[in-house]
Amino acid sequence: MSAWLDGLDGRGVHIVFEATGRYDRQLGIALETRELPYSRVNPARARDFAKAIGLLAKTDAIDARLLARMGQSLPLSTQADDPARHVLARLHTRRDQLVAMRQQERTRLHETEGIERDSAESHMAWLDAEVARIEMACRDVLKAEKTLQEQEARLRSIPGIGPVAALTLIAHMPELGNRSAKAIAALAGLAPFNVDSGTSRGKRHIRGGRKRIRDALYMAALTASRMPRAFKSHADQMKEAGKPFKVVIIALARKLLAIANAIIRDKTTFRRTT
Protein backbone atom coordinates (compact mmCIF):
# COMPACT_ATOMS: atom_id res chain seq x y z
CA MET A 1 0.00 0.00 0.00
CA SER A 2 2.82 2.42 0.84
CA ALA A 3 4.35 2.14 -2.65
CA TRP A 4 0.96 2.76 -4.26
CA LEU A 5 0.26 5.78 -2.08
CA ASP A 6 3.74 7.18 -2.71
CA GLY A 7 2.93 7.18 -6.41
CA LEU A 8 -0.14 9.37 -5.78
CA ASP A 9 1.71 12.25 -4.13
CA GLY A 10 1.41 15.49 -6.06
CA ARG A 11 -1.13 14.15 -8.56
CA GLY A 12 -4.12 16.02 -7.13
CA VAL A 13 -6.11 12.86 -6.36
CA HIS A 14 -9.05 12.44 -4.01
CA ILE A 15 -9.41 8.96 -2.52
CA VAL A 16 -12.89 7.47 -2.02
CA PHE A 17 -13.38 4.26 -0.06
CA GLU A 18 -16.13 2.50 1.86
CA ALA A 19 -16.30 2.54 5.64
CA THR A 20 -15.28 -0.89 6.88
CA GLY A 21 -14.85 -0.27 10.59
CA ARG A 22 -11.38 -0.91 11.94
CA TYR A 23 -10.13 -2.24 8.59
CA ASP A 24 -10.01 1.16 6.89
CA ARG A 25 -8.22 2.80 9.82
CA GLN A 26 -4.74 2.03 8.46
CA LEU A 27 -5.62 3.55 5.09
CA GLY A 28 -7.01 6.69 6.74
CA ILE A 29 -3.82 7.14 8.79
CA ALA A 30 -1.63 6.64 5.70
CA LEU A 31 -3.62 9.21 3.73
CA GLU A 32 -3.46 11.72 6.58
CA THR A 33 0.29 11.24 6.87
CA ARG A 34 0.69 12.07 3.16
CA GLU A 35 -1.90 14.89 3.39
CA LEU A 36 -4.00 13.27 0.68
CA PRO A 37 -7.72 14.19 0.78
CA TYR A 38 -10.20 11.34 1.11
CA SER A 39 -13.88 10.56 1.59
CA ARG A 40 -15.07 7.62 3.67
CA VAL A 41 -18.54 6.70 2.41
CA ASN A 42 -21.29 4.56 3.89
CA PRO A 43 -21.42 1.20 2.02
CA ALA A 44 -25.24 1.40 1.92
CA ARG A 45 -24.99 4.78 0.19
CA ALA A 46 -22.54 3.32 -2.33
CA ARG A 47 -24.97 0.48 -3.13
CA ASP A 48 -27.84 2.93 -3.49
CA PHE A 49 -25.72 4.92 -5.95
CA ALA A 50 -24.95 1.70 -7.86
CA LYS A 51 -28.66 0.88 -8.12
CA ALA A 52 -29.43 4.43 -9.23
CA ILE A 53 -27.06 4.13 -12.19
CA GLY A 54 -28.25 0.60 -12.99
CA LEU A 55 -25.13 -1.21 -11.79
CA LEU A 56 -26.32 -4.42 -10.15
CA ALA A 57 -23.26 -6.66 -10.41
CA LYS A 58 -20.76 -6.55 -7.55
CA THR A 59 -17.07 -7.42 -7.74
CA ASP A 60 -13.97 -5.71 -6.35
CA ALA A 61 -13.15 -4.19 -9.75
CA ILE A 62 -16.74 -2.99 -10.26
CA ASP A 63 -16.85 -1.55 -6.75
CA ALA A 64 -13.61 0.36 -7.38
CA ARG A 65 -14.98 1.92 -10.58
CA LEU A 66 -18.26 2.63 -8.79
CA LEU A 67 -16.56 4.54 -5.96
CA ALA A 68 -14.48 6.52 -8.46
CA ARG A 69 -17.62 7.49 -10.36
CA MET A 70 -19.37 8.33 -7.10
CA GLY A 71 -16.55 10.68 -6.18
CA GLN A 72 -16.84 12.40 -9.56
CA SER A 73 -20.63 12.70 -9.48
CA LEU A 74 -21.48 13.56 -5.87
CA PRO A 75 -20.23 16.33 -3.55
CA LEU A 76 -18.64 14.01 -1.00
CA SER A 77 -17.27 15.63 2.13
CA THR A 78 -13.53 15.54 2.63
CA GLN A 79 -12.56 13.95 5.91
CA ALA A 80 -9.68 14.69 8.19
CA ASP A 81 -8.63 12.06 10.67
CA ASP A 82 -8.57 13.05 14.33
CA PRO A 83 -6.45 10.50 16.25
CA ALA A 84 -7.68 11.55 19.70
CA ARG A 85 -11.33 11.46 18.67
CA HIS A 86 -10.77 8.09 17.02
CA VAL A 87 -9.35 6.67 20.26
CA LEU A 88 -12.26 8.18 22.15
CA ALA A 89 -14.76 6.60 19.75
CA ARG A 90 -13.17 3.17 20.16
CA LEU A 91 -13.17 3.48 23.95
CA HIS A 92 -16.76 4.68 23.95
CA THR A 93 -17.83 1.72 21.80
CA ARG A 94 -16.08 -0.63 24.22
CA ARG A 95 -17.92 1.01 27.12
CA ASP A 96 -21.23 0.42 25.34
CA GLN A 97 -20.34 -3.25 24.87
CA LEU A 98 -19.53 -3.67 28.55
CA VAL A 99 -22.69 -1.88 29.65
CA ALA A 100 -24.77 -4.14 27.37
CA MET A 101 -23.16 -7.25 28.86
CA ARG A 102 -23.82 -5.94 32.37
CA GLN A 103 -27.49 -5.41 31.53
CA GLN A 104 -27.72 -8.97 30.21
CA GLU A 105 -26.27 -10.35 33.43
CA ARG A 106 -28.61 -8.16 35.50
CA THR A 107 -31.56 -9.62 33.60
CA ARG A 108 -30.31 -13.16 34.20
CA LEU A 109 -30.21 -12.60 37.97
CA HIS A 110 -33.99 -13.09 38.09
CA GLU A 111 -33.62 -16.63 36.74
CA THR A 112 -30.54 -17.85 38.61
CA GLU A 113 -29.73 -19.20 42.05
CA GLY A 114 -26.86 -20.81 43.85
CA ILE A 115 -23.57 -20.96 41.97
CA GLU A 116 -25.16 -19.52 38.82
CA ARG A 117 -26.21 -16.41 40.72
CA ASP A 118 -22.79 -16.13 42.35
CA SER A 119 -21.20 -16.31 38.89
CA ALA A 120 -23.50 -13.63 37.48
CA GLU A 121 -22.88 -11.31 40.43
CA SER A 122 -19.13 -11.86 40.18
CA HIS A 123 -19.21 -11.09 36.47
CA MET A 124 -21.28 -7.95 37.09
CA ALA A 125 -18.74 -6.74 39.65
CA TRP A 126 -15.95 -7.27 37.11
CA LEU A 127 -17.99 -5.44 34.46
CA ASP A 128 -18.55 -2.52 36.87
CA ALA A 129 -14.79 -2.25 37.35
CA GLU A 130 -14.12 -2.46 33.60
CA VAL A 131 -16.71 0.20 32.79
CA ALA A 132 -15.10 2.47 35.37
CA ARG A 133 -11.65 1.76 33.90
CA ILE A 134 -12.78 2.57 30.35
CA GLU A 135 -14.52 5.73 31.54
CA MET A 136 -11.30 6.81 33.23
CA ALA A 137 -9.42 6.19 29.99
CA CYS A 138 -11.96 8.38 28.18
CA ARG A 139 -11.40 11.12 30.76
CA ASP A 140 -7.66 10.87 30.18
CA VAL A 141 -8.15 11.37 26.43
CA LEU A 142 -10.29 14.46 27.06
CA LYS A 143 -7.79 15.90 29.53
CA ALA A 144 -4.96 15.46 27.02
CA GLU A 145 -6.83 17.31 24.26
CA LYS A 146 -7.78 20.89 25.15
CA THR A 147 -10.22 21.22 22.23
CA LEU A 148 -12.17 18.10 23.22
CA GLN A 149 -12.11 19.12 26.87
CA GLU A 150 -13.59 22.52 25.98
CA GLN A 151 -16.25 20.89 23.83
CA GLU A 152 -17.27 18.64 26.69
CA ALA A 153 -17.61 21.61 29.06
CA ARG A 154 -19.79 23.45 26.53
CA LEU A 155 -21.99 20.41 25.93
CA ARG A 156 -22.37 19.77 29.67
CA SER A 157 -23.73 23.32 30.06
CA ILE A 158 -26.88 22.23 28.17
CA PRO A 159 -29.67 21.03 30.50
CA GLY A 160 -30.15 17.29 30.11
CA ILE A 161 -26.71 16.64 28.60
CA GLY A 162 -24.78 14.57 31.13
CA PRO A 163 -21.28 13.08 30.96
CA VAL A 164 -22.31 10.05 28.88
CA ALA A 165 -24.33 12.07 26.35
CA ALA A 166 -21.53 14.64 26.01
CA LEU A 167 -18.95 11.90 25.48
CA THR A 168 -21.19 10.24 22.89
CA LEU A 169 -21.56 13.45 20.90
CA ILE A 170 -17.82 14.17 20.97
CA ALA A 171 -16.84 10.62 20.03
CA HIS A 172 -19.42 9.88 17.33
CA MET A 173 -20.43 13.29 15.91
CA PRO A 174 -17.19 14.97 14.75
CA GLU A 175 -19.24 17.13 12.35
CA LEU A 176 -20.80 18.98 15.30
CA GLY A 177 -20.32 22.71 14.84
CA ASN A 178 -19.36 22.38 11.17
CA ARG A 179 -22.73 21.65 9.59
CA SER A 180 -26.13 23.33 9.48
CA ALA A 181 -28.75 22.40 12.07
CA LYS A 182 -30.74 20.50 9.43
CA ALA A 183 -27.71 18.58 8.21
CA ILE A 184 -26.72 17.62 11.76
CA ALA A 185 -30.27 16.46 12.51
CA ALA A 186 -30.22 14.29 9.39
CA LEU A 187 -26.87 12.75 10.37
CA ALA A 188 -28.32 11.81 13.74
CA GLY A 189 -31.52 10.46 12.23
CA LEU A 190 -33.60 13.13 13.96
CA ALA A 191 -34.77 15.04 10.88
CA PRO A 192 -38.42 14.42 9.90
CA PHE A 193 -38.73 13.46 6.25
CA ASN A 194 -41.71 14.33 4.07
CA VAL A 195 -43.88 11.56 2.64
CA ASP A 196 -45.93 13.57 0.14
CA SER A 197 -47.23 12.69 -3.30
CA GLY A 198 -49.64 14.82 -5.31
CA THR A 199 -52.34 16.08 -2.97
CA SER A 200 -51.55 13.41 -0.39
CA ARG A 201 -49.69 14.54 2.70
CA GLY A 202 -48.29 11.72 4.79
CA LYS A 203 -46.93 11.75 8.31
CA ARG A 204 -43.37 12.95 8.84
CA HIS A 205 -41.02 10.26 10.13
CA ILE A 206 -37.42 10.16 11.24
CA ARG A 207 -35.20 7.42 9.82
CA GLY A 208 -31.61 6.38 9.33
CA GLY A 209 -28.78 8.26 10.93
CA ARG A 210 -26.50 7.35 13.83
CA LYS A 211 -28.48 5.31 16.30
CA ARG A 212 -26.00 5.76 19.16
CA ILE A 213 -26.30 9.55 18.90
CA ARG A 214 -30.07 9.33 18.70
CA ASP A 215 -30.27 7.05 21.74
CA ALA A 216 -28.08 9.38 23.81
CA LEU A 217 -30.12 12.44 22.86
CA TYR A 218 -33.40 10.63 23.55
CA MET A 219 -32.30 9.97 27.14
CA ALA A 220 -31.03 13.55 27.45
CA ALA A 221 -34.38 14.83 26.18
CA LEU A 222 -36.23 12.75 28.78
CA THR A 223 -34.19 14.43 31.51
CA ALA A 224 -34.52 17.91 29.99
CA SER A 225 -38.31 17.55 29.68
CA ARG A 226 -38.54 17.32 33.48
CA MET A 227 -36.34 20.34 34.21
CA PRO A 228 -38.58 23.36 35.04
CA ARG A 229 -35.97 26.00 34.19
CA ALA A 230 -34.99 24.40 30.89
CA PHE A 231 -37.36 22.67 28.45
CA LYS A 232 -40.28 21.47 30.59
CA SER A 233 -42.56 24.32 29.51
CA HIS A 234 -41.77 23.59 25.85
CA ALA A 235 -42.58 19.90 26.38
CA ASP A 236 -45.80 20.74 28.25
CA GLN A 237 -46.95 23.02 25.43
CA MET A 238 -46.48 20.23 22.89
CA LYS A 239 -48.36 17.76 25.10
CA GLU A 240 -51.24 20.23 25.52
CA ALA A 241 -51.33 20.58 21.75
CA GLY A 242 -52.02 16.85 21.56
CA LYS A 243 -48.58 15.67 20.47
CA PRO A 244 -47.79 12.05 21.42
CA PHE A 245 -45.16 11.58 24.12
CA LYS A 246 -42.56 10.10 21.74
CA VAL A 247 -43.03 12.97 19.28
CA VAL A 248 -42.42 15.44 22.13
CA ILE A 249 -39.21 13.71 23.21
CA ILE A 250 -37.89 13.42 19.64
CA ALA A 251 -38.58 17.12 19.09
CA LEU A 252 -36.67 17.95 22.28
CA ALA A 253 -33.81 15.67 21.22
CA ARG A 254 -33.60 17.52 17.91
CA LYS A 255 -33.65 20.85 19.77
CA LEU A 256 -30.83 19.72 22.07
CA LEU A 257 -28.76 18.69 19.07
CA ALA A 258 -29.36 22.03 17.33
CA ILE A 259 -28.25 23.86 20.49
CA ALA A 260 -25.18 21.62 20.82
CA ASN A 261 -24.28 22.33 17.21
CA ALA A 262 -24.65 26.09 17.73
CA ILE A 263 -22.58 26.33 20.92
CA ILE A 264 -19.76 24.19 19.50
CA ARG A 265 -19.77 26.34 16.36
CA ASP A 266 -19.81 29.62 18.30
CA LYS A 267 -17.52 28.37 21.10
CA THR A 268 -19.92 29.49 23.79
CA THR A 269 -22.03 27.90 26.52
CA PHE A 270 -25.75 27.37 26.93
CA ARG A 271 -28.01 30.26 27.79
CA ARG A 272 -31.80 30.16 27.99
CA THR A 273 -31.88 32.56 25.04
CA THR A 274 -29.76 30.14 22.86
Side-chain angles (χ1 to χ4, degrees):
M1 182 176 69
S2 295
W4 176 71
L5 290 175
D6 289 339
L8 298 178
D9 289 339
R11 293 175 55 183
V13 298
H14 184 108
I15 310 297
V16 181
F17 59 89
E18 290 184 344
T20 54
R22 68 185 64 182
Y23 300 108
D24 61 38
R25 172 62 178 159
Q26 186 177 0
L27 177 58
I29 293 174
L31 292 171
E32 282 291 321
T33 300
R34 291 167 173 78
E35 297 184 350
L36 291 171
Y38 68 90
S39 295
R40 182 173 178 267
V41 301
N42 188 319
R45 187 182 180 192
R47 288 315 304 163
D48 288 343
F49 179 77
K51 293 175 184 177
I53 62 176
L55 191 60
L56 302 182
K58 181 173 172 59
T59 67
D60 289 343
I62 290 174
D63 285 351
R65 291 195 294 270
L66 167 71
L67 291 171
R69 185 170 175 182
M70 189 175 178
Q72 294 169 344
S73 305
L74 301 180
L76 302 178
S77 59
T78 300
Q79 292 180 248
D81 199 38
D82 185 338
R85 198 184 297 270
H86 178 78
V87 171
L88 198 61
R90 294 289 297 273
L91 289 171
H92 186 275
T93 297
R94 180 55 181 163
R95 180 192 177 278
D96 282 349
Q97 293 167 349
L98 293 168
V99 169
M101 285 188 277
R102 184 173 61 185
Q103 182 56 45
Q104 290 174 343
E105 290 288 52
R106 186 174 288 125
T107 301
R108 293 187 186 104
L109 280 178
H110 301 291
E111 304 172 352
T112 59
E113 58 184 20
I115 192 169
E116 287 181 296
R117 187 176 185 86
D118 291 342
S119 175
E121 290 178 342
S122 176
H123 190 205
M124 285 176 58
W126 180 85
L127 288 168
D128 286 341
E130 279 298 291
V131 169
R133 188 169 74 91
I134 294 298
E135 288 178 344
M136 183 61 69
C138 290
R139 301 301 312 171
D140 290 342
V141 173
L142 290 176
K143 289 178 182 177
E145 293 292 329
K146 184 179 179 181
T147 299
L148 299 184
Q149 191 175 17
E150 290 175 348
Q151 287 186 2
E152 188 208 22
R154 292 183 178 112
L155 292 172
R156 291 288 305 277
S157 72
I158 304 173
I161 300 290
V164 175
L167 183 63
T168 304
L169 287 169
I170 293 170
H172 298 296
M173 186 65 78
E175 300 90 350
L176 205 61
N178 296 313
R179 302 285 182 89
S180 69
K182 289 184 178 179
I184 285 292
L187 285 174
L190 288 171
F193 288 94
N194 298 354
V195 188
D196 300 337
S197 180
T199 59
S200 174
R201 293 294 180 270
K203 290 184 178 180
R204 274 52 175 161
H205 296 281
I206 61 172
R207 64 172 184 265
R210 300 174 192 173
K211 184 178 183 301
R212 186 62 186 89
I213 294 291
R214 192 164 58 253
D215 290 346
L217 288 171
Y218 189 91
M219 297 305 296
L222 282 174
T223 301
S225 69
R226 305 186 185 105
M227 301 176 73
R229 298 184 62 185
F231 303 107
K232 187 177 185 299
S233 61
H234 181 64
D236 290 343
Q237 288 175 5
M238 294 184 69
K239 292 174 185 176
E240 291 170 3
K243 299 295 183 183
F245 176 77
K246 191 172 182 180
V247 171
V248 173
I249 299 303
I250 291 296
L252 281 182
R254 186 165 58 249
K255 186 177 183 67
L256 289 176
L257 183 58
I259 292 171
N261 189 55
I263 66 173
I264 294 298
R265 180 196 63 213
D266 299 338
K267 297 183 179 181
T268 184
T269 54
F270 175 80
R271 298 185 301 274
R272 292 202 64 191
T273 55
T274 299

PDB file of all heavy atoms in Angstrom, residues 50 103 110 123 149 155 188 247 266:
ATOM      1  N   ALA A  50     -25.096   2.722  -6.816  1.00  0.00           N
ATOM      2  CA  ALA A  50     -24.952   1.701  -7.860  1.00  0.00           C
ATOM      3  C   ALA A  50     -26.305   1.356  -8.477  1.00  0.00           C
ATOM      4  O   ALA A  50     -26.446   1.245  -9.701  1.00  0.00           O
ATOM      5  CB  ALA A  50     -24.289   0.456  -7.282  1.00  0.00           C
ATOM      6  N   GLN A 103     -26.033  -5.379  31.524  1.00  0.00           N
ATOM      7  CA  GLN A 103     -27.491  -5.414  31.534  1.00  0.00           C
ATOM      8  C   GLN A 103     -28.007  -6.835  31.301  1.00  0.00           C
ATOM      9  O   GLN A 103     -29.004  -7.251  31.913  1.00  0.00           O
ATOM     10  CB  GLN A 103     -28.047  -4.465  30.462  1.00  0.00           C
ATOM     11  CG  GLN A 103     -29.566  -4.387  30.428  1.00  0.00           C
ATOM     12  CD  GLN A 103     -30.153  -3.983  31.764  1.00  0.00           C
ATOM     13  OE1 GLN A 103     -29.676  -3.058  32.411  1.00  0.00           O
ATOM     14  NE2 GLN A 103     -31.202  -4.684  32.206  1.00  0.00           N
ATOM     15  N   HIS A 110     -32.640 -12.709  37.701  1.00  0.00           N
ATOM     16  CA  HIS A 110     -33.993 -13.095  38.085  1.00  0.00           C
ATOM     17  C   HIS A 110     -34.255 -14.576  37.850  1.00  0.00           C
ATOM     18  O   HIS A 110     -35.257 -15.110  38.348  1.00  0.00           O
ATOM     19  CB  HIS A 110     -35.018 -12.260  37.311  1.00  0.00           C
ATOM     20  CG  HIS A 110     -34.880 -10.777  37.533  1.00  0.00           C
ATOM     21  ND1 HIS A 110     -35.180 -10.176  38.731  1.00  0.00           N
ATOM     22  CD2 HIS A 110     -34.448  -9.780  36.718  1.00  0.00           C
ATOM     23  CE1 HIS A 110     -34.962  -8.867  38.654  1.00  0.00           C
ATOM     24  NE2 HIS A 110     -34.507  -8.603  37.437  1.00  0.00           N
ATOM     25  N   HIS A 123     -19.458 -11.667  37.798  1.00  0.00           N
ATOM     26  CA  HIS A 123     -19.210 -11.090  36.475  1.00  0.00           C
ATOM     27  C   HIS A 123     -19.655  -9.630  36.426  1.00  0.00           C
ATOM     28  O   HIS A 123     -18.974  -8.775  35.845  1.00  0.00           O
ATOM     29  CB  HIS A 123     -19.955 -11.901  35.403  1.00  0.00           C
ATOM     30  CG  HIS A 123     -19.578 -11.547  34.019  1.00  0.00           C
ATOM     31  ND1 HIS A 123     -20.410 -11.749  32.930  1.00  0.00           N
ATOM     32  CD2 HIS A 123     -18.445 -10.974  33.509  1.00  0.00           C
ATOM     33  CE1 HIS A 123     -19.802 -11.332  31.830  1.00  0.00           C
ATOM     34  NE2 HIS A 123     -18.620 -10.856  32.149  1.00  0.00           N
ATOM     35  N   GLN A 149     -11.737  18.790  25.495  1.00  0.00           N
ATOM     36  CA  GLN A 149     -12.113  19.123  26.868  1.00  0.00           C
ATOM     37  C   GLN A 149     -13.043  20.335  26.887  1.00  0.00           C
ATOM     38  O   GLN A 149     -14.026  20.369  27.626  1.00  0.00           O
ATOM     39  CB  GLN A 149     -10.850  19.398  27.679  1.00  0.00           C
ATOM     40  CG  GLN A 149     -11.089  19.499  29.175  1.00  0.00           C
ATOM     41  CD  GLN A 149      -9.786  19.645  29.950  1.00  0.00           C
ATOM     42  OE1 GLN A 149      -8.750  19.974  29.388  1.00  0.00           O
ATOM     43  NE2 GLN A 149      -9.835  19.395  31.239  1.00  0.00           N
ATOM     44  N   LEU A 155     -20.848  21.314  26.053  1.00  0.00           N
ATOM     45  CA  LEU A 155     -21.991  20.408  25.929  1.00  0.00           C
ATOM     46  C   LEU A 155     -22.648  20.153  27.278  1.00  0.00           C
ATOM     47  O   LEU A 155     -23.875  20.101  27.383  1.00  0.00           O
ATOM     48  CB  LEU A 155     -21.546  19.088  25.294  1.00  0.00           C
ATOM     49  CG  LEU A 155     -21.120  19.161  23.827  1.00  0.00           C
ATOM     50  CD1 LEU A 155     -20.517  17.835  23.375  1.00  0.00           C
ATOM     51  CD2 LEU A 155     -22.311  19.518  22.936  1.00  0.00           C
ATOM     52  N   ALA A 188     -27.934  12.516  12.525  1.00  0.00           N
ATOM     53  CA  ALA A 188     -28.318  11.809  13.745  1.00  0.00           C
ATOM     54  C   ALA A 188     -29.601  10.998  13.571  1.00  0.00           C
ATOM     55  O   ALA A 188     -29.968  10.233  14.461  1.00  0.00           O
ATOM     56  CB  ALA A 188     -28.502  12.803  14.883  1.00  0.00           C
ATOM     57  N   VAL A 247     -43.249  11.837  20.180  1.00  0.00           N
ATOM     58  CA  VAL A 247     -43.028  12.971  19.280  1.00  0.00           C
ATOM     59  C   VAL A 247     -42.428  14.140  20.057  1.00  0.00           C
ATOM     60  O   VAL A 247     -41.525  14.833  19.573  1.00  0.00           O
ATOM     61  CB  VAL A 247     -44.350  13.386  18.596  1.00  0.00           C
ATOM     62  CG1 VAL A 247     -44.174  14.705  17.840  1.00  0.00           C
ATOM     63  CG2 VAL A 247     -44.821  12.293  17.643  1.00  0.00           C
ATOM     64  N   ASP A 266     -20.074  28.264  17.810  1.00  0.00           N
ATOM     65  CA  ASP A 266     -19.808  29.620  18.300  1.00  0.00           C
ATOM     66  C   ASP A 266     -18.850  29.657  19.483  1.00  0.00           C
ATOM     67  O   ASP A 266     -18.529  30.738  19.975  1.00  0.00           O
ATOM     68  CB  ASP A 266     -21.126  30.294  18.700  1.00  0.00           C
ATOM     69  CG  ASP A 266     -22.089  30.422  17.522  1.00  0.00           C
ATOM     70  OD1 ASP A 266     -21.609  30.388  16.369  1.00  0.00           O
ATOM     71  OD2 ASP A 266     -23.301  30.529  17.759  1.00  0.00           O
TER      72      ASP A 266
END
